Each structure stands twice: as structure tokens, then as C-alpha cells.
Amino acid sequence: MKDLPILSLLVFSPLLAALIAAFINSERWLRWWTLVATLAIAVFSLPLYPMFNPATAAYQFTEHSKWIPSLNIQYSLGIDGISVLLVLLTTLIMPLCVLASWSYITKRVKEFMIALLVMEAAMVGVFCALDFVLFFVFWEAMLIPMCLIIGIWGGPRKIYAAIKFFIYTMAGSVLLLVAIIALYLKTGTFSIPDLMDRHYSLDFQTWVFLAFFLSFAIKVPMFPFHTWLPAAHVEAPTAGSVLLASVLLKMGTYGFLRFCLPITPDATHLFMPYVLGLSVVAIIYGGVTALAQSDMKKLVAYSSVGHMGFATLGIFVLNQQGIEGAMLQMINHGVTTGALFICVGIIYERLHTREMDKAAGIGKHMPIFVTYFGVFCLSSFAFPGTNSFIGEFLVLCGGFAYSKIMVVCLVPGIVVAAAYMLRLLQRVVWGGTRNPDQSHLKDLNLREIITLAPLLLFVFWIGLNPEPFTRVLHTSVQHLLQQVNHAP
């Protein structure tokens, strides 16, 4: 299997599946075909983990060939410890998105399934690209299908949400392109590993860092660039929300790790205190705003702002524990928040509302559902034994090594996160004395149980035994810190 171009197969298999889907006219068979295709791609990606050598920071499974020689642009793919878990997260979350859309999407099913498959190809490509032009192509390729998913299959304000998502992300893309062109004009190469090995003046780094930072901060999204997120999450169909939370938001933090830290290390040190300040604000602001929401999907969306604040804080404290915690937090957020969006989608399919009061007390009639829901809520506010606890604990350890005062400032955000999640759990499970009649509700069916089961497994697997996940990160994070700390 080592001789196979495994990364190219992971990138282009979804496109081939999308092409075949275009010729299938039965909606039933389209769903089955997309599920089988995404499951096959997920299974095919699994050997990446045992075959990955965690002892080296070098890129593995590399593929290189000329693409546009006159501009020194190459088709170049490879993964290291920073990207391998994100590739696996992407391939494993896709079958769950298909299952979550099984009865939710009833119109233009063919176009929806094709959009999902194109999204998968672009997302895997982003995490594997080692050439900046190739990276930008995949980065932009995600934009159109995501806009279509929000704009066609979204809620009542879907056009507003899709346009807002498009404008924000396009603005970020323009800044990213400006930084890429500036680096090319300076060095004559688009090779990402080559660009990491060069040293640039502080002035040049400052401008490139700012362009990178604004582009990736929009994608995370960091406070105050987050305003597109609640609208996109609330209006998107369940699968769109899951993809946004589980994978697309990680593109921003991945960009910080892949480009800002190693290519502009001096500027990273220069702007580090400001980015940490924004991260602390994001954690507190996201929590307080989530606490004020009555729409469950909006609550989970604002909680993402806080959770991703932990990820950016862990990245920019620039130490081993912080960055490994941030990487775990990225995976954990993909698992837990993706699961919460699926849970909210299940409630919406039954009640046709996302209002917390109208879903009050469903626990009595949906015991299997609230068991899943309870675990994911506990994971969301980092209850010990769950996956998020490990990620946040490492981030806090890294933050403590940088500044004890900064960690103390995070306490309100951590407390508020527990408050809004427990409030949501209490309302949904027990409600109050004036609960609406929920006796007509049916508990989870087999498809829904199967959809949520893998996410539940990862909540406890990472929470109780995180070593298999941190092991693949360790050497790559060490190498990244060596690149950053060569700065004066």
C-alpha cells in the first residue's frame, strides 16, 4: 500500500464518486451511493494512522510532479503530524454527514450529494497540499459547494447567510492570495516546505503575517471576525453545520500552524500578546453570548467561538503543551460540536423548531437520545473523562507556563461554558412544569443511533486514552517550535 498514491486517491476518489452520482437518477440510490462512497474513502484512509511514522517531522506519503513548470508550480502532496489527524477527521465525518442528511434533505438530492463529495475532495486537499497554489485551489474549491449547501438547502434566511459567508471568506481569500504572491515574488517558489526554510526581514514578515492572520482569523472565526458564523450555522442544513464545525473552522487554525508560525516566526512573536488577548475575549464573549440564546443551534454556534478561542490560545502561547492541546481541541471540537449539531437536527426533524422551551422535557420520551445528548453536552464544557477535558487541560497548562494572569482571566469563560451547556441539558431533558406535550415523539431510530455512535466512541477514547492521538503530534510540534523559536 506504501507504493500507492494514497493522498491523491483520497483527494480524487470523492470527485470520481460525484461524477458517477451525476448519472444516478433515483434519490434512494443516490443516498446509498454517496454513503457507500464516503464509507469506502473513510476505510481507505484508516491505514494512514498505523503507517504514519510519528518519530519524524518529515512529510510522509509525499507525491510530487510538475504542474506549471514556467511558474515553478508543482502538484505536491504530503502530510505530517499536524495534518494527519485532520485528514482522518475529514474522511470519518463525511459518512456521518450523509446519514444526518438521509431524511433531512428531500429536494435536489443529487445536487446535495455531489456538493458533499466535492467538499470532501477540497477539504482533504487543503490538509495535504505542499504547494501554495495547489493549497489555494483547494481552499477556494470549498467555498462554492458550502455556499450552495447553505443557500439552497438552508433555512428561511439562507440567502442572507450564504452571501455573508461568501463575502467574509472571499475577503479572507484575497488577503491569503496577496500573501502568497508576496512570498513568491520574494523567493521565486510556491513550495511550502521551501518557504518555511527561508528567513525574511521583520518588515516583510509583519505584512505577510497580517495578511495570513486576517485570512485565517475569519475562517476560525476569531472575535471580532465571527459574525458570519451564527448566521451560517443557523441557516445551514444539519450536514452543512456539521461540516462547518467539524472541518471548515479548522482550516483557520491549521493555517496559523502551517504558515504563520514557521514562515513568519519573528512577526508571530511580535503579535503573540495581541492574538492571545483576542483569544481570551473570544472565550468569554462566546460563552456569555451562548448563555443568552434560546435557539439551540445558535447556542452551539456561539459556543464554537469560545472553543476555537481555546485552540488559538493554545497555538499562540508557543509551547509544546499549548500547541498539542490546541491540536487536540481542534479534533475534539470537530467531534463534539459536530455531534451537538446532529442532535439539534434530530430535534428539529421531530418538532420543526430549535427553540429550547419548545423542546423542553423530551428526555422522558427519548431516553436514548438524551443519553447521547447528555454525554456530548458534558464533553462540550470539558467534563473530566471526556475528550474536551484533555484538550483544554493541555491548553491551560501551556497558558499557565506563559502567563498565570491570563489563565485566571479565562475562569469566567470556563464557568459560563458549563452554565450554558447545563442549562441546555436541563431544559431538554427535564424542562419545567409547563412542558409542551412531547408524548408523540419517537426515540432515535437505528440510523440515528449508528450516526452518533462513532462520535460517542471518540469522546471517551480521546478522553480516557489520549496518548494514541498526542503521539502523532509530538515530533511535528517539536519541529514547529524549533522553527518559531529561531526568532530573536
Side-chain angles (χ1 to χ4, degrees), residues 72-85:
N72 200 15
I73 299 172
Q74 294 191 7
Y75 174 80
S76 182
L77 299 179
I79 53 174
D80 62 359
I82 291 172
S83 49
V84 62
L85 292 181

Side-chain angles (χ1 to χ4, degrees), residues 21-144:
F23 295 97
I24 301 174
N25 293 320
S26 163
E27 291 185 356
R28 180 168 174 266
W29 283 110
L30 269 167
R31 291 188 176 93
W32 275 107
W33 167 248
T34 313
L35 178 62
V36 169
T38 51
L39 269 175
I41 294 165
V43 170
F44 187 70
S45 70
L46 289 179
L48 281 179
Y49 183 81
M51 291 166 62
F52 185 83
N53 180 4
T56 174
Y59 292 100
Q60 300 176 42
F61 311 101
T62 53
E63 300 169 33
H64 304 283
S65 59
K66 292 180 181 178
W67 182 16
I68 309 176
S70 60
L71 293 175
N72 200 15
I73 299 172
Q74 294 191 7
Y75 174 80
S76 182
L77 299 179
I79 53 174
D80 62 359
I82 291 172
S83 49
V84 62
L85 292 181
L86 293 168
V87 171
L88 290 170
L89 174 69
T90 304
T91 56
L92 295 178
I93 209 76
M94 287 307 297
L96 308 185
C97 289
V98 177
L99 285 170
S101 309
W102 204 265
S103 57
Y104 193 97
I105 300 300
T106 55
K107 66 174 184 178
R108 304 177 89 168
V109 175
K110 178 187 291 188
E111 290 85 349
F112 183 83
M113 296 302 172
I114 290 173
L116 282 185
L117 290 165
V118 173
M119 281 286 297
E120 180 172 17
M123 291 186 297
V124 173
V126 163
F127 295 129
C128 297
L130 294 182
D131 182 280
F132 248 132
V133 173
L134 189 62
F135 174 85
F136 190 74
V137 168
F138 288 131
W139 180 274
E140 288 300 286
M142 293 182 303
L143 188 58
I144 300 302

Side-chain angles (χ1 to χ4, degrees), residues 56-368:
T56 174
Y59 292 100
Q60 300 176 42
F61 311 101
T62 53
E63 300 169 33
H64 304 283
S65 59
K66 292 180 181 178
W67 182 16
I68 309 176
S70 60
L71 293 175
N72 200 15
I73 299 172
Q74 294 191 7
Y75 174 80
S76 182
L77 299 179
I79 53 174
D80 62 359
I82 291 172
S83 49
V84 62
L85 292 181
L86 293 168
V87 171
L88 290 170
L89 174 69
T90 304
T91 56
L92 295 178
I93 209 76
M94 287 307 297
L96 308 185
C97 289
V98 177
L99 285 170
S101 309
W102 204 265
S103 57
Y104 193 97
I105 300 300
T106 55
K107 66 174 184 178
R108 304 177 89 168
V109 175
K110 178 187 291 188
E111 290 85 349
F112 183 83
M113 296 302 172
I114 290 173
L116 282 185
L117 290 165
V118 173
M119 281 286 297
E120 180 172 17
M123 291 186 297
V124 173
V126 163
F127 295 129
C128 297
L130 294 182
D131 182 280
F132 248 132
V133 173
L134 189 62
F135 174 85
F136 190 74
V137 168
F138 288 131
W139 180 274
E140 288 300 286
M142 293 182 303
L143 188 58
I144 300 302
M146 194 67 226
C147 274
L148 293 176
I149 287 173
I150 298 171
I152 296 176
W153 295 277
R157 302 181 71 209
K158 56 192 178 187
I159 301 300
Y160 163 77
I163 291 174
K164 195 169 184 179
F165 169 78
F166 185 84
I167 290 173
Y168 268 78
T169 48
M170 266 311 286
S173 296
V174 170
L175 291 166
L176 177 62
L177 185 60
V178 168
I180 292 171
I181 292 172
L183 284 165
Y184 176 71
L185 294 176
K186 190 81 172 177
T187 62
T189 180
F190 287 109
S191 167
I192 293 169
D194 286 351
L195 290 168
M196 291 176 181
D197 289 337
R198 308 205 181 191
H199 185 69
Y200 313 94
S201 68
L202 181 58
D203 282 348
F204 182 76
Q205 284 192 40
T206 300
W207 289 111
V208 171
F209 176 89
L210 288 174
F212 275 151
F213 176 77
L214 290 170
S215 174
F216 300 136
I218 289 171
K219 197 68 119 184
V220 171
M222 290 185 73
F223 177 89
F225 310 103
H226 65 284
T227 59
W228 65 268
L229 183 70
H233 267 316
V234 169
E235 299 304 324
T238 299
S241 296
V242 173
L243 282 178
L244 272 170
S246 298
V247 185
L248 261 69
L249 304 192
K250 312 303 173 298
M251 304 288 179
T253 43
Y254 176 75
F256 288 144
L257 289 164
R258 178 63 78 219
F259 306 123
C260 286
L261 271 60
I263 295 178
T264 60
D266 302 343
T268 299
H269 280 277
L270 185 67
F271 287 99
M272 173 187 179
Y274 305 104
V275 182
L276 291 175
L278 285 177
S279 301
V280 173
V281 172
I283 291 167
I284 297 172
Y285 170 84
V288 171
T289 314
L291 188 62
Q293 304 305 316
S294 59
D295 183 317
M296 291 182 283
K297 212 171 183 185
K298 206 176 269 188
L299 183 153
V300 178
Y302 276 111
S303 77
S304 291
V305 176
H307 291 148
M308 293 310 289
F310 270 103
T312 53
L313 187 138
I315 291 170
F316 280 92
V317 293
L318 302 181
N319 58 43
Q320 187 86 25
Q321 287 177 316
I323 294 178
E324 286 186 9
M327 285 295 302
L328 266 188
Q329 187 67 5
M330 290 159 64
I331 303 297
N332 294 336
H333 180 262
V335 170
T336 302
T337 307
L340 284 172
F341 276 122
I342 293 174
C343 288
V344 174
I346 288 171
I347 294 176
Y348 184 78
E349 283 192 58
R350 285 160 172 74
L351 296 174
H352 304 291
T353 178
R354 294 187 295 264
E355 285 298 313
M356 209 183 302
D357 286 341
K358 294 180 180 175
I362 65 174
K364 182 179 177 183
H365 309 286
M366 300 178 67
I368 301 174

